[in-house]
Amino acid sequence: MEKRLLTIFTFLMLLATITRAQVTIHGIVVDEENEPMIGVSLSAKDTNAFFLDVPLSPKNRNNGTSITDIDGKFTIEVPQEGAKIWVNYPGYQPTTVQAKDGMVVNMKEEKKLKPRQERRSIQLTDDDRAAIKGINSLSLRLLATLGQHKSTIMSPLSIACLLSLTSNGASGKTQREICRLLKCTSEVANSLYHKLTPFLTDSRYGSRFNMANALFVNPAYPLKASFRQVAADDYSAFISQDMNVKTVNDWCARQTSGMIPSIIEQIPDEASLVALNTVFFESLWKKEFDEKETKEEPFSREDGTIRLMPVMHQKGIYSYGRGDNFSILTKDYKGEVNYKMTIFLPDEGCTLGQMLSQLTEEKWQEARRTIGSYRVDVKLPRFKTETELQLTPTMKQLGIQAAFLPAKADFRYLADNKSGLPIYISDMKQKAIIEVNEKGTRAAAATAEIVIVGYGRTHYEDRIFHAKRPFAYMIRETYTDTILFIGTYYGD
């Protein structure tokens, strides 16, 4: 009897330990100069410093792991008081600290390492540059098609990457149409993303960029070994046979730091694959706007109405240029990285739609040649835009037809298909979000495919750039000249 009571007591104690409520910890990570650090990874450990796989909570997606935001802040759930948190960042000494709400984690640089002053290099071939030009051309075509009359944000890079990955499973007309749109072969695209993704994500000292791919596979239709190899080697794809809505959406939420908590609502029973690409960008401005200078000012909307909104104001030296019917302004992000935002402001009397219809890759390159350094009076709205795009009709309009038609799609190299039924893309969509304020920019995009079976003068001239009417913008990496995000703002 005594032994039985002891067993029950031990069981109850164990159960209490297992079911103990998780503790939410808020904190900030700073460097030796007490400056906030962006993109620092944190992982929960138990009191014995073993890594923990903390169950995902529906209310908080930073369970067990977290990454610091633009202010160096983090939120992480640990299983109990006294748990440890492992903190890690490239070039700094990893540290394990005791979890405490409101904690400040001080990171120290590695003494054995000489701090890197420049980004890692990337060697681009002529084919690589042509492929990047294809991504940028697609960006402008998508903007002209989808950026009319309503504020829009999208990541053509995300779309292009996912299409490139998928093309490795295609053959014949299906593959040719995808490659024609992207202006490169599958082999060139594979080589490019193998180099481009780690280069773009090598962001430090003020910026954070992440791009990831995932394939969620129906076990009944296992991936072809050759396709799986390319996906893993060139696209670093996460591959899972747990193909359900929650798994897909949880992965998407983690990769976009919660900005896009879900990408799909349901997965058809006949789906053989859900392919997903996510892009996340967060950075401080090199020169932040002074919040005291932000005032409510009128913004002229396309329909003739006026809307009062918070408009940020700053005077300084900017890269400024002119196109046929628009002016362009480039604002730098902080750090050694080469990220910039370029804003396209139509001239008075020219609508944003008219400007977009004429903004080809060639017109953009012509305008770039006029860019110089000027003293500019800048006004820019503080804004947030969220977009959900159904891409299937647009892809068809841009020339990808066969991939979406059961009778014509040829994905023979994608999966083992013993059913004999056609494999085709039934749906392609993207969700994207951007927030622009006095401190900087935060943006994310997730693109999903459901595959069914069935860039000095000593004297600066003055210029005025007041974006108080509809405008377009892009976020790009200037060394490779890759457009990461592109969008429009109409004041809605």
Side-chain angles (χ1 to χ4, degrees):
M1 182 67 176
E2 183 178 339
K3 183 177 181 180
R4 184 180 177 185
L5 289 174
L6 181 61
T7 301
I8 294 174
F9 177 76
T10 302
F11 174 75
L12 291 175
M13 288 296 292
L14 178 60
L15 182 63
T17 300
I18 295 174
T19 59
R20 185 179 296 162
Q22 296 177 15
V23 179
T24 300
I25 301 296
H26 307 271
I28 183 172
V29 180
V30 298
D31 61 18
E32 293 172 289
E33 296 180 358
N34 211 39
E35 290 291 327
M37 295 180 62
I38 303 172
V40 179
S41 299
L42 302 99
S43 301
K45 295 184 177 183
D46 65 13
T47 53
N48 295 314
F50 290 106
F51 283 106
L52 295 169
D53 183 13
V54 184
L56 190 66
S57 161
K59 293 183 178 181
N60 191 330
R61 297 184 179 275
N62 295 318
N63 301 66
T65 62
S66 184
I67 301 177
T68 56
D69 64 15
I70 200 167
D71 295 313
K73 297 179 180 179
F74 66 88
T75 300
I76 187 171
E77 288 191 11
V78 297
Q80 62 188 44
E81 291 288 351
K84 305 291 183 179
I85 300 177
W86 185 71
V87 191
N88 184 44
Y89 191 78
Y92 285 75
Q93 299 174 17
T95 183
T96 299
V97 295
Q98 186 170 331
K100 180 180 179 182
D101 197 32
M103 64 194 299
V104 177
V105 182
N106 298 92
M107 297 293 285
K108 296 182 178 181
E109 289 195 65
E110 293 277 8
K111 301 304 179 183
K112 298 180 181 179
L113 299 177
K114 182 179 180 181
R116 177 169 55 82
Q117 299 299 318
E118 299 177 356
R119 296 174 59 108
R120 78 169 58 132
S121 62
I122 182 172
Q123 300 297 322
L124 295 177
T125 66
D126 290 342
D127 285 342
D128 292 334
R129 295 193 180 280
I132 292 173
K133 185 176 180 180
I135 297 171
N136 296 347
S137 178
L138 174 62
S139 300
L140 297 175
R141 293 178 67 183
L142 285 170
L143 193 65
T145 303
L146 301 170
Q148 301 282 356
H149 310 302
K150 183 180 179 180
S151 298
T152 304
I153 174 66
M154 68 188 90
S155 175
L157 174 63
S158 177
I159 297 171
C161 184
L162 194 57
L163 284 173
S164 296
L165 172 55
T166 307
S167 72
N168 289 280
S171 182
K173 186 178 181 180
T174 304
Q175 188 180 58
R176 288 196 300 272
E177 287 180 348
I178 297 175
C179 293
R180 188 181 301 123
L181 177 63
L182 299 178
K183 298 183 178 181
C184 69
T185 65
S186 297
E187 292 76 17
V188 168
N190 297 341
S191 176
L192 173 63
Y193 286 107
H194 183 80
K195 294 181 288 187
L196 186 62
T197 302
F199 175 77
L200 292 177
T201 56
D202 183 27
S203 52
R204 297 176 59 188
Y205 308 121
S207 294
R208 172 184 166 207
F209 178 81
N210 179 60
M211 182 163 72
N213 297 287
L215 300 172
F216 298 92
V217 186
N218 185 333
Y221 300 92
L223 298 179
K224 293 277 190 179
S226 57
F227 179 78
R228 186 185 184 98
Q229 193 72 46
V230 170
D233 291 350
D234 294 330
Y235 294 84
S236 300
F238 169 77
I239 303 174
S240 172
Q241 290 191 340
D242 188 8
M243 192 180 73
N244 65 74
V245 173
K246 185 178 185 304
T247 302
V248 173
N249 287 337
D250 284 349
W251 186 88
C252 178
R254 290 186 184 279
Q255 296 300 323
T256 60
S257 289
M259 290 193 77
I260 302 178
S262 66
I263 182 64
I264 58 174
E265 290 74 42
Q266 61 181 358
I267 301 175
D269 292 337
E270 62 271 26
S272 63
L273 173 71
V274 176
L276 192 64
N277 172 279
T278 57
V279 177
F280 177 82
F281 174 79
E282 185 174 34
S283 185
L284 302 170
W285 298 119
K286 187 174 183 179
K287 182 181 179 182
E288 297 180 16
F289 289 92
D290 186 345
E291 293 184 12
K292 295 179 182 179
E293 294 294 319
T294 300
K295 311 291 183 184
E296 289 283 327
E297 296 195 32
F299 185 95
S300 300
R301 304 171 73 179
E302 194 175 58
D303 60 4
T305 61
I306 303 296
R307 177 189 172 191
L308 286 176
M309 63 174 54
V311 176
M312 304 178 292
H313 185 208
Q314 188 176 83
K315 294 180 181 180
I317 307 304
Y318 283 90
S319 296
Y320 173 93
R322 289 282 308 162
D324 286 344
N325 54 3
F326 60 91
S327 54
I328 52 179
L329 182 93
T330 295
K331 186 166 178 61
D332 297 344
Y333 289 106
K334 188 177 181 179
E336 97 286 16
V337 295
N338 301 302
Y339 296 118
K340 301 177 186 292
M341 175 180 278
T342 298
I343 306 164
F344 301 76
L345 182 63
D347 293 344
E348 292 278 8
C350 175
T351 68
L352 179 54
Q354 291 170 335
M355 186 202 80
L356 291 176
S357 66
Q358 301 172 39
L359 187 59
T360 62
E361 173 70 13
E362 290 71 25
K363 291 292 184 181
W364 161 227
Q365 296 303 328
E366 288 177 12
R368 292 179 66 175
R369 289 192 283 270
T370 72
I371 292 178
S373 295
Y374 295 85
R375 191 185 310 278
V376 188
D377 185 303
V378 176
K379 288 188 177 182
L380 180 68
R382 185 175 64 205
F383 67 92
K384 177 180 179 179
T385 298
E386 295 184 55
T387 304
E388 182 170 347
L389 302 172
Q390 294 297 333
L391 295 171
T392 302
T394 304
M395 292 297 104
K396 290 180 178 180
Q397 182 181 342
L398 294 179
I400 299 180
Q401 298 282 338
F404 297 96
L405 301 173
K408 295 184 178 181
D410 186 349
F411 285 103
R412 68 182 68 182
Y413 302 122
L414 183 65
D416 289 325
N417 181 17
K418 297 179 181 179
S419 69
L421 297 173
I423 296 179
Y424 66 101
I425 300 175
S426 70
D427 190 28
M428 187 174 184
K429 65 189 294 187
Q430 183 180 91
K431 287 186 178 183
I433 182 172
I434 187 170
E435 300 175 8
V436 177
N437 57 34
E438 290 85 353
K439 289 188 175 183
T441 303
R442 196 168 188 244
T447 309
E449 287 178 350
I450 297 181
V451 180
I452 294 292
V453 178
Y455 143 67
R457 308 179 179 183
T458 56
H459 171 69
Y460 298 106
E461 299 179 20
D462 293 336
R463 293 290 186 272
I464 295 177
F465 191 94
H466 290 179
K468 296 171 62 178
R469 54 184 180 274
F471 58 87
Y473 58 89
M474 64 172 67
I475 297 174
R476 59 195 178 93
E477 196 284 319
T478 57
Y479 183 84
T480 61
D481 198 31
T482 305
I483 297 175
L484 312 179
F485 290 88
I486 196 163
T488 55
Y489 185 66
Y490 286 88
D492 48 353

